[in-house]
Amino acid sequence: MNSELVQTAAPASAREAAPALSARECERSSRAALTLRVLAPALGAAALTALFFALLVWPLLCLLLGSLREGNTGDGAFTWENYRTFFGSRRMLGALWSSVWISLLVAFLSVALCLGPAWLLVRYRFPGKRVVRALFTLPMSFSGILIGFLSVIMLGRIGAVPQFAEWLTGTPWLSGFAYQLGGVLLAYFYFEIPRATLALEAALRKLDGRLESAARSLGASSGQIFRWVVFPQILPALLSTFALTFCVSLGSFGVVLIVSKRFTLLPLEIFQQIIASNRFPLAAAMSVVLLALALLVTLGSRWLVERFQPPVPSAR
Amino acid sequence: MNAARRPWLLLALTGLLLVLIVTPVLVVTAGSVLNTSFLGLASEQWVGDGRDAEALFTTKWFGYVLSTYQPQLLMSVRLAVASVLGCIVLGVPAAYLLVRGQFPGRRFLEELVMLPLALPGIVVSIALIQAYLPIRGSWWFVLLGHLLYTLPFMVRSVASAMRSFDVAALERAAESLGASRWQRFWFVVVPNLRHSVTLGSLLVFAVSFGEFNVSYLLCTPLTATFPNALYATYTFNSFQVSSAATVIFLAVILPVLALIQWLGGDELKVEQGA
């Protein structure tokens, strides 16, 4: 399959030349060439589509169907019961609500705070820039549990920060902060740093610096330049980064799995339904809600991004 | 931007975030080799009271983790390597197809390939279990989940390279010079893709090795990955053992991340779940 697909690179010249050949010549041209040009891409596309239907579309359909059935086997009678249980449970609705607003808050924080380093990395040259950049990508493959653990050793009841504070001032400041809302937000922000910074950096790199120079030469202040020149240009990137960080936070449960003491989030509830109660249909219904929310935000942000795409400056 | 003026605010913010990122890593590294209660959780395996110089520094927890969680570590390495190979075999042709192919539904297929990145890992793992319950015990099953989440990175890396170096123009030039199909592929396309495939492979390795959200439910005790072992140490073991396990994880992942940066992580973008 590999070699066949690779051969699909029918050069444009060959493709353009094809109609010029007479019908008889076409017939005479080896059947293999025709196969490679027409059949191979079709076969490749079919194979790739089939693979993703088997790995993604079919499982998601099973999830949807499973959420509408009784019992764990997936062949029970049709029922709305799982959704009724979900939307009737104060605890689960609370988890959904917490998930949404914590993800919103984290996404907002990530976009706002990571714009600084992204701007610095794009617009300035300084010694050790590569190292700084590398360090900013560090949390990228830390899973939530690892960050939860780091949060506990730093800000747990006898974490490093409270102990240091006690040694310094006599009071264990921030003791147990990891288990509070602020600690959870901080841990979530931790894994969003590389995601937000890299996404914003890519967008800022495309920014046309000449527009800012032009605005400056016309007497605009830094604030005015940001508000009227930079901001409209990066608004789509801000929106898509917001959606990206929101979705990552929404699906993450590792941090709260480690530090959950006070509150719960929707993915953690799903996890518990499976691990502790083995209630697959209910977990499936909750998953469908989570999935719908993630897709809604992703598609919504794309629609907004297209709406706010600035017109291309004609002077370019 | 006025180059003469130093961006103090940006520097301060960046410095603050750097401290936030790096300090926990340093603390956990210190905690893994020091026999002390200073850092973090109380430990039942805490030895001595700190005055015993011999007991202050120890590497024994690494040995403990490596022997206890060796199967999980090997499983993660195996999954990561298999993901890399799978992504090369599937992802390079797929990228070629998506960039060069002209067929109806190409955009849709591209969306489908990138879609997993937008989906919560736990949801996809539950969906996979519902669809393929009978093969749950096999490590192949976990590999499928990993492939789903790593393939987008390889496809994007290769596809962006293909879009930038204009494979069609180069191939046409080679063809006009009399190169055959295979010659064009081996001497024009492959050398131009080497860099992006290397970068993509490193990314795939890093993502697969650190993956927890999808793997945790897909795994059975026999196919548990190293992040699963990390979770086990956080839940059941002492602070030192957990720290040592974390440091072992970092020792594998940090060189890979450094290599990604060094090879040109400028075009890097990550959005997989945490």
Side-chain angles (χ1 to χ4, degrees), chain A residues 228-280:
Chain A
W228 300 108
V229 179
V230 175
F231 184 73
Q233 288 189 82
I234 62 172
L235 183 59
L238 296 182
L239 283 171
S240 65
T241 309
F242 187 88
L244 159 66
T245 48
F246 177 85
C247 284
V248 172
S249 294
L250 191 70
S252 176
F253 62 97
V255 171
V256 275
L257 190 60
I258 298 292
V259 302
S260 103
K261 289 277 193 284
R262 281 158 205 258
F263 55 86
T264 177
L265 298 175
L266 189 54
L268 184 68
E269 280 295 306
I270 297 174
F271 181 81
Q272 303 289 15
Q273 285 302 331
I274 292 206
I275 294 294
S277 324
N278 200 25
R279 287 168 78 181
F280 261 95

Side-chain angles (χ1 to χ4, degrees), chain A residues 64-82 281:
Chain A
L64 189 64
L65 291 175
S67 72
L68 295 167
R69 302 263 172 204
E70 286 173 351
N72 266 355
T73 47
D75 49 11
F78 175 87
T79 176
W80 289 106
E81 191 53 39
N82 300 309

